[in-house]
Each structure stands twice: as structure tokens, then as C-alpha cells.
Amino acid sequence: MEMLLHGNALLALAAAALWGGGDFSGGMGVKHAGGTMAAALRVILLSHAVSLAVLLVLAWGRGDAFPRGAPLAWGLVAGATAGVALACFYVALSRGAMGASAALSGLLAAAIPAAVSAGEEGSPGMLRLVGFLVAGMAIWLIAAGPNPEARPADRGTFWLAVVGGVGFGVYFVALKFAGSAGVIWPLATARMGSLTVSALLVGGMSLQAKAGAEKVQLTRRVVVWALGAVLLDTSGNLLFIAATRAGRLDVAAVLASLYPASTILLAAWTLHERPTRRQGLGMVVAAAAVVMITL
């Protein structure tokens, strides 16, 4: 059991590191594509189409059977939710409010699976509960600090981050339930769901948009950022599914929700900014939370 717990935690932390990089790449891609919802949806379509193609090849090579019943349904629900959540989150990031958006979405993404896991698997124990609260504090300290490149987050950006965070939380739960079908197919079916929702949204927006209302620039730079996002995000998702199969959902979700740390560090490095004292304190608090959760 202890080995499974530590494996569960290590996989979740690795997923967090990769997800943070994927979110940064996706946000930069959307920013260079125009910073609109239409741009976000097209970046998601491009990245998830590449991801699905790779996953199908992997599933075929492994000889994994296509899931049916509840695992298939949960995978599609996960993908449909992720499509909407990612679009909202990427637009929030592209507006420059990376810190506040990543912090808020990270807190919501951790809280929802933790509540579901407590109902399904029972209380995780007092030490881990305290660890979850400390992890939430760490997420806020790391991600909500001032960013010289950012504009102040307006009400619209705030709600985009809220929708993104709730969507990520539901995605974590649905992916856990889809995980009974293995590791590859749950993510592949999730990609099918996200591609379907994103395509429908793009089609609806295209019908309503006036000529010249929104220009989406899918330049070479946008494609490179999108491919970087799909590489990191797909790898992180596979590690998260493995983490949920190796241990409790709340442990995996809370630790994986520390992904704003790598998002902010990448933003600081790319924009030649030094992490603030608040963010440095957040890193220390995060380390303490990891210790409490994994003991």
C-alpha cells in the first residue's frame, strides 16, 4: 500500500509539471493566434487532433480493446468538459492574467475531486486533509502573485478562469472513472469528446460571426506552441490516469493541481522575470504540503 501511495504521488507530481508546461504553451499559442475564443478553440482542435492520432496508434500497437459502457461514457464526458474548460482557460491566460487565472483554476480543480473522493473512498485522514488545505494555500501563493507583464484581471477573465477550474475538476473525476479501461483509451475517448465539442463550437461561432469580426492567425509560431502543448499535456494526462489507478483520486488531483507552479516559472523564465518572494514562499509551502499528503 505504501509503495502504491508513493507511486500515486510521484505520478501526480510529474503530471503537474507537464500540465503546467502544456498550459503555458497553449496560452502562448492562443495569444499569438489572436487571443479570442475562436483562436482558443482552433488551437485545441489542432493539438487534440494530433494527440488523438498518436493515442490511436499507441492503442493499436498495444492491442488494447476499445472500451464500452460506463468507461466509454465517462471518457466522452471528460473530453467534452475539457474542451470547454480549456478554451475558457486559454483565453484567460492569453489576456495576460496568467497568475490569477492559474491560481483560481488550480484551486477549483483540486477541490471538486477531493470532495468526490471523500464521498467515494472515505476520509483521507486528518494529516492529508491539512495537507490539502496547505496545498491550496501554496497554489494561491505561487500563482496569484503580481506579474509585470499582466493586465489586471477583469470580471470576464475571472469567470473564464472559474469555468476552466470547474471544468478541470469534473474532468479529473470523469477521467478517474474512465480509467478502468486502462491508460490509453480513456484519454483517447476524452480527446474524441473534446474534438467533437470544439468542432461544434467553432462551427456555431463561424455561422454567427460577421465578416472580419474575429481573425484567427494560425502561423508557424502558433503551430509550434500548439504542438508543444499537446506533447506536454498528453504526457501529463497519461501520468494522471496512471496516478488515479495507483491510489486515491484526491491525492492525485490535489498534487496534480500544483501545475500553476510550472506555468508561472515558465512565464517568468520566458518573460525574463524573477519569481517574487511570495512565489518562493509558495514553493516552500507546496513542498510541505507534498510531505503531509504522502506520509
Side-chain angles (χ1 to χ4, degrees), residues 17 40 52 59 70 76 130 135 142 154-155 180 191 218 231 253 268 287 292:
L52 178 59
L76 294 174
V130 174
I142 293 168
D154 56 21
R155 186 181 298 271
S180 59
R191 291 301 193 227
L218 290 180
L231 174 63
M292 284 187 281

Side-chain angles (χ1 to χ4, degrees), residues 34-167:
T36 64
M37 182 65 76
L41 288 169
R42 282 167 173 79
V43 169
I44 292 170
L45 278 173
L46 173 61
S47 60
H48 284 197
V50 173
S51 176
L52 178 59
V54 173
L55 291 167
L56 290 177
V57 170
L58 289 175
W60 175 78
R62 287 163 50 93
D64 294 345
F66 187 79
R68 290 180 173 81
L72 173 59
W74 279 115
L76 294 174
V77 167
T81 305
V84 175
L86 273 174
C88 294
F89 185 56
Y90 281 176
V91 172
L93 291 181
S94 71
R95 291 182 177 183
M98 283 194 170
S101 299
L104 185 56
S105 66
L107 289 172
L108 290 171
I112 293 173
V116 171
S117 183
E120 291 283 327
E121 304 174 87
S123 174
M126 183 56 66
L127 183 60
R128 283 188 200 154
L129 284 174
V130 174
F132 294 161
L133 293 175
V134 174
M137 184 187 305
I139 292 170
W140 190 259
L141 286 170
I142 293 168
N147 180 353
E149 193 261 359
R151 300 189 303 271
D154 56 21
R155 186 181 298 271
T157 302
F158 170 83
W159 285 112
L160 284 170
V162 168
V163 173
V166 171

